[in-house]
Amino acid sequence: VIKAEVSLDKTVKGVLTKSWEKLRLYLSYQIGLENHVMSIQLIRPLKIRSPADAHIECSAKYDLLDGAHVEYGASKQLTEYSRLAALVRIGHISGVKLKLTLSRGSHSYRFDVIFSDVIEPAAVLYGTFLPVFVYSALHWLVINPYLNRLKVSLVTCYLKSDVSDKMFC
């Protein structure tokens, strides 16, 4: 699918999208009086429970004002209405940044963590592995025990109640 548009602020934008079974590709450009932007983005859905459950993405972008940078990260559907995303941005002007986004319904909470103003290998490693470690720790220490307790209490309530009360468990 190819789209092109001209906006009122004297810019020309275009997007080329291509979807395969296991990969989506986005090529976009914006040419204007003040800034020119070109980007490419690859998204790979991970079918854990459903196609929208999780995906990983990688993108490269060149901007006249911000320079060139590379972004990579992952996004996971936590509940029906909640999504958690972590994206590492590495650029020669912006340095190494981590963008954490929690979307709940129509609300989005974004936290930016700046690891370094320049590109350093240690900052790249912290930005890559710190979100994975924190998510894994929270998942195994908080989320799984809570869900197990909830499941046990639901089963005990279901077993203790009679036929008329089972809808209130």
Side-chain angles (χ1 to χ4, degrees):
V1 177
I2 299 174
K3 295 180 185 177
E5 64 181 51
V6 177
S7 64
L8 295 175
D9 59 349
K10 299 178 184 172
T11 61
V12 177
K13 299 177 185 178
V15 176
L16 171 68
T17 61
K18 177 69 178 163
S19 293
W20 293 277
E21 184 179 329
K22 295 185 178 183
L23 190 67
R24 288 187 304 243
L25 172 70
Y26 298 101
L27 296 167
S28 65
Y29 67 89
Q30 176 182 340
I31 300 171
L33 295 176
E34 299 154 359
N35 195 10
H36 304 306
V37 178
M38 296 183 72
S39 68
I40 182 170
Q41 182 179 23
L42 292 168
I43 296 177
R44 168 105 161 93
L46 302 173
K47 294 182 182 179
I48 297 171
R49 283 176 283 194
S50 67
D53 190 33
H55 69 267
I56 55 175
E57 65 181 74
C58 180
S59 67
K61 185 175 183 182
Y62 178 74
D63 189 342
L64 284 180
L65 298 177
D66 283 337
H69 61 267
V70 175
E71 292 181 341
Y72 59 91
S75 177
K76 172 123 175 59
Q77 188 84 28
L78 297 176
T79 64
E80 183 181 358
Y81 302 109
S82 299
R83 177 170 282 280
L84 182 65
L87 195 67
V88 179
R89 180 177 184 177
I90 303 168
H92 69 280
I93 293 177
S94 61
V96 181
K97 294 181 181 179
L98 173 65
K99 292 190 268 186
L100 298 171
T101 306
L102 175 65
S103 301
R104 174 82 178 142
S106 63
H107 301 288
S108 290
Y109 306 100
R110 183 173 154 186
F111 305 99
D112 291 335
V113 180
I114 300 172
F115 285 109
S116 177
D117 290 334
V118 295
I119 300 173
E120 295 178 357
V124 173
L125 288 174
Y126 283 132
T128 302
F129 294 112
L130 187 65
V132 174
F133 176 73
V134 170
Y135 176 77
S136 298
L138 283 175
H139 187 71
W140 290 108
L141 296 175
V142 177
I143 296 170
N144 278 349
Y146 173 74
L147 291 177
N148 288 338
R149 273 185 287 155
L150 190 65
K151 192 184 299 183
V152 167
S153 68
L154 188 63
V155 167
T156 56
C157 177
Y158 188 76
L159 291 175
K160 287 182 181 179
S161 64
D162 59 357
V163 177
S164 63
D165 293 338
K166 288 188 180 184
M167 62 190 311
F168 296 110
C169 286

